Amino acid sequence: MEYTAKQVTLKDGSTCTIRRPETSDAEALLRQQKQTSGETPYLIVGPEEIDWTQEEQAGRIRRWNAAPDKLRLIAEADGALAGAAIVYGVGLQSRLRHRCSVDITLRRDFWGMGLGTALLGELLCAAKAAGYEQAELEVVSTNAPAVGLYKKLGFETVGTIPRAMKYRDGSYADFLFMVKPLLE
């Protein structure tokens, strides 16, 4: 999927670069994934489950960058990764190719600064340009900031998946299934 790097200004006046990751970003991307998964209970994986090697992560970056129907973007601020987002097709079948799934993670110290809006906005524009007609996501129902971001960007809740995630303590979290048309 095509994407040209962009500079965005955050709410505090600082700038951030949104771009595709390169294989040289593998180690930093692994650190960012472990950090963000440890900062919130809303992600489906915990930091202990991120056990890929730097070489495996570099291979993933190469495959994603070569794929015509996928895009991974990273947000870089102050020389470090502040967030990442992905978009990929829901299915290979012809009747599903118009749909894509999106996912975004941000470091806690960048929450509320406009980075999520910018990063997800860039991802949705690229998805639309690639021919996707509908973006979909699942979000933990109690993650009010994320739900608010998605609603602000035009996503609507179309259903709930009860007990979608089970925590180590035996408690559960429901997912909201949200959809945004990209035809408009």
Side-chain angles (χ1 to χ4, degrees), residues 8 10 16 18 75 77 82-83 104 106 110 112-120:
V8 296
L10 303 179
C16 180
I18 297 175
I104 182 172
L106 300 177
F110 283 89
M113 294 181 62
L115 180 57
T117 301
L119 186 56
L120 192 53

Side-chain angles (χ1 to χ4, degrees), residues 40-168:
T40 176
Y42 299 128
L43 301 180
I44 62 171
V45 4
E48 70 282 354
E49 295 175 282
I50 299 172
D51 58 0
W52 312 296
T53 67
Q54 187 174 335
E55 293 77 26
E56 289 170 326
Q57 184 72 299
R60 286 179 167 188
I61 291 169
R62 275 191 296 278
R63 286 189 302 278
W64 274 74
N65 284 350
D69 60 341
K70 298 178 183 178
L71 178 64
R72 174 183 275 169
L73 295 177
I74 58 173
E76 195 172 36
D78 298 326
L81 294 187
I86 58 173
V87 60
Y88 54 92
V90 169
L92 298 175
Q93 301 83 359
S94 64
R95 294 181 180 182
L96 300 180
R97 283 192 209 131
H98 67 290
R99 297 169 49 208
C100 64
S101 184
V102 298
D103 187 18
I104 182 172
T105 59
L106 300 177
R107 281 188 5 219
R108 182 181 290 273
D109 52 333
F110 283 89
W111 292 0
M113 294 181 62
L115 180 57
T117 301
L119 186 56
L120 192 53
E122 289 296 314
L123 198 70
L124 292 170
C125 285
K128 183 177 180 177
Y132 286 115
E133 299 174 13
Q134 179 170 291
E136 303 170 2
L137 59 84
E138 294 173 349
V139 59
V140 173
S141 62
T142 55
N143 188 350
V147 172
L149 168 65
Y150 302 142
K151 285 183 177 179
K152 178 172 78 170
L153 291 175
F155 283 86
E156 293 182 16
T157 301
V158 296
T160 302
I161 304 169
R163 298 172 309 282
M165 197 161 53
K166 185 175 182 179
Y167 295 106
R168 289 178 186 239

